């Protein structure tokens, strides 16, 4: 047998094996009648991920890119391929928003999003630890890097119920730095802030009319993840939903207060102003005032840290709250699909917490 | 005098979460309907042990305790007389619950 024939034989055998390996999946897809969906989406659009993906540093380009993914799939009926080769930096909150968008697309239309591995260690490590490449269905072998950043990650989770998984993961991030102890009052505050935000996301973010109007694209769940940036000794807790956004929820639930604000401003309030109004009660009231104070619980975790920041992005509004009770809001140039809450807490500052609690 | 002890972590869940049962099996509504309400009708004193859970959100507490008045229409004085609390991990929870009941 000459060399060319041997080579051909080897390639042919490989192809047969490859086809055999995907046989079960192909049969499943045929059974689910997904062939027709595939033919509609015969084109796959190549999308280059921007160099800097960050809602804090490069909001407009980042959101434009993320929104284009779902627009291509659901409106233009084009499958997409995400090319990460030029992406040099991705921030933790953007990882969650991007992963959520991809999960929504691929759960509604399987394999609608494929992609490549990033070439930069930082981007790869963040996404890999989060479980991102599993969503993209990449089968090729993972790249190897020498210098990976020091980040501990609580993998991305999505759902409606059961805070158990997230709470365990998040607390491990805190305990590993001897920051807090289980069942301490501060540990209870972490639970309180996270579960209140999760409950709000499920109970208010997806009203019935929104779900009905968006049956083909809406997944009424939240996504959550945690990061510990070891070089900064900081823990980030992130919660995201793809609902109508807090400013739109307030139109119904806080109608009178919004009208009051509109008459004071003599114009329709911006989304960021509505957001600040919703958080106002949590800034000014005490724990023992009134009922069901979600915004109080969400901000209290930051207020009682020695160093921390709460950031909320919701539709066209952004609200930032610092531990010294300073806050500001601003309008966003493009709407975010839903609400993103980021708690950023410095562990060095937290280590003082148990003693402070005892002395009170 | 008939007495009952409800240890939330053991008898209900270590992870109490959310307001309504339709969104969470461990919600304030589930705790109120399955534990608090039956106990208030059957016993003279109910000791609620709060310790051992991961924590409590305000919507859970308001739904569980405040809505004993608003939804279940039980008299505030009876609730306050029958319910006693132990919360060593976070004593401020007891004041908070009392406010939810009084303001309901």
């Amino acid at each position: 047998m000459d060399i060319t024939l041997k080579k051909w034989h080897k390639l042919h055998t490989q192809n047969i094996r490859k086809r055999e390996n995907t046989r079960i999946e192909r049969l499943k897809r045929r059974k689910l009648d997904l062939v027709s969906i595939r033919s509609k989406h015969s084109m796959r659009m190549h999308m280059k991920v921007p160099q800097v993906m960050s809602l804090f540093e490069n909001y407009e380009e980042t959101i434009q890119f993320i929104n284009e993914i779902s627009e291509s799939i659901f409106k233009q009926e084009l499958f997409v391929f995400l090319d990460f080769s030029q992406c040099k930096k991705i921030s933790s909150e953007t990882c969650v928003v991007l992963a959520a968008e991809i999960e929504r697309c691929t759960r509604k239309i399987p394999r609608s999003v494929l992609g490549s591995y990033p070439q930069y260690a930082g981007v790869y490590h963040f996404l890999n630890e989060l479980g991102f490449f599993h969503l993209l269905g990449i089968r090729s072998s993972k790249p190897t890097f020498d210098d990976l950043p020091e980040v501990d990650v609580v993998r991305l989770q999505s759902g409606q119920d059961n805070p158990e998984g997230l709470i365990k993961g998040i607390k491990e991030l805190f305990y590993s730095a001897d920051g807090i102890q289980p069942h301490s009052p501060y540990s209870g505050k972490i639970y309180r802030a996270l579960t209140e935000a999760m409950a709000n996301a499920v109970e208010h973010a997806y009203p019935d009319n929104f779900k009905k109007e968006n049956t083909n694209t809406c997944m009424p769940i939240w996504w959550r993840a945690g990061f510990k940036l070891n070089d900064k000794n900081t823990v980030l807790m992130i919660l995201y939903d793809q609902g109508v956004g807090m400013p739109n929820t307030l139109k119904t639930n806080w109608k009178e207060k919004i009208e009051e604000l509109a008459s004071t401003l003599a114009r329709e309030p911006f989304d960021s102003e509505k957001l600040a109004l919703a958080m106002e009660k949590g800034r000014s009231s005490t724990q023992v005032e009134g009922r069901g104070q979600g915004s109080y619980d969400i901000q209290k975790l930051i207020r009682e840290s020695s160093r921390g920041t709460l950031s909320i992005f919701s539709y066209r509004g952004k609200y930032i709250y610092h531990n010294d009770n300073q806050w500001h809001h601003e309008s966003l140039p493009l709407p975010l699909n839903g609400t993103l809450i980021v708690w950023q807490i410095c562990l060095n500052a937290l280590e003082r917490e148990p003693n402070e609690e005892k002395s009170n | 005098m008939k007495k009952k002890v409800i240890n939330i972590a053991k008898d209900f869940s270590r992870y109490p979460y959310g307001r309504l049962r339709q969104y969470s099996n461990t919600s304030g509504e589930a705790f109120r309907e399955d534990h608090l309400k039956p106990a208030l009708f059957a016993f003279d004193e109910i000791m609620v042990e709060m310790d051992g859970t991961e924590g409590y959100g305000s919507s859970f507490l308001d739904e569980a305790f405040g809505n004993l008045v608003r939804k279940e229409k039980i008299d505030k004085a009876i609730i306050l007389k029958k319910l006693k609390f132990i919360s060593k991990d976070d004593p401020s929870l007891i004041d908070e619950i009392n406010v939810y009941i009084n303001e309901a």
Side-chain angles (χ1 to χ4, degrees), chain A residues 160-164 168 171 183 185 188 191-192 195-196 198-199 202-203 222 287-288 290-294 297, chain B residues 15-20 23-25 52-60 62 70 89 93 95-96 99-100 103:
Chain A
Q160 284 184 310
D161 195 1
N162 188 9
E164 191 174 339
K168 279 182 184 166
K171 286 176 128 188
H183 303 299
Y191 183 83
R192 198 176 177 114
T195 53
E196 274 306 298
M198 280 157 59
V202 174
E203 291 172 20
W222 37 242
Q287 189 169 341
V288 287
R291 59 185 289 258
Q293 301 175 53
D297 290 345
Chain B
Y15 299 91
Y17 153 66
R19 186 177 281 277
L20 303 176
Y23 301 113
S24 161
N25 294 329
T53 68
E54 292 297 330
Y56 300 91
S58 59
S59 54
F60 175 90
D62 181 56
R70 282 190 296 269
D89 290 345
L93 284 173
D95 293 338
E96 189 181 349
V99 171
Y100 291 139
E103 287 192 354

Side-chain angles (χ1 to χ4, degrees), chain B residues 58-74:
Chain B
S58 59
S59 54
F60 175 90
L61 295 175
D62 181 56
E63 185 65 37
F65 297 97
N67 275 348
L68 284 171
V69 183
R70 282 190 296 269
K71 283 190 184 166
E72 308 296 348
K73 310 286 180 203
I74 303 173

Side-chain angles (χ1 to χ4, degrees), chain A residues 68-190:
Chain A
E68 270 173 19
I69 297 173
S70 55
E71 206 161 292
S72 301
I73 292 164
F74 296 123
K75 289 188 183 161
Q76 299 172 24
E77 298 195 340
L78 289 170
F79 280 8
V80 299
F81 180 88
L82 303 183
D83 177 356
F84 277 92
S85 61
Q86 289 180 3
C87 183
K88 291 179 179 171
K89 184 182 177 184
I90 187 160
S91 60
S92 42
E93 81 289 340
T94 310
C95 286
V96 174
V97 176
L98 181 63
E101 190 64 344
I102 290 167
E103 186 174 354
R104 177 168 74 110
C105 293
T106 51
R107 272 169 74 166
K108 290 289 177 185
I109 305 176
R111 296 184 63 75
S112 54
V113 188
L114 296 181
S116 62
Y117 284 122
Q119 290 178 356
Y120 290 87
V123 178
Y124 170 78
H125 188 56
F126 255 115
L127 293 173
N128 187 45
E129 292 293 301
L130 198 67
F132 182 83
F133 299 117
H134 172 71
L135 294 171
L136 282 184
I138 304 179
R139 288 183 186 153
S140 57
S141 56
K142 291 181 176 179
T144 48
F145 294 100
D146 292 332
D147 294 319
L148 290 174
E150 288 185 29
V151 182
D152 294 331
V153 178
V154 178
R155 283 175 88 93
L156 184 77
Q157 299 168 345
S158 56
Q160 284 184 310
D161 195 1
N162 188 9
E164 191 174 339
L166 176 76
I167 297 301
K168 279 182 184 166
I170 291 283
K171 286 176 128 188
E172 271 167 29
L173 295 183
F174 281 96
Y175 297 157
S176 61
D178 298 326
I180 54 167
Q181 298 303 314
H183 303 299
S184 72
Y186 199 83
S187 146
K189 280 165 204 157
I190 294 171

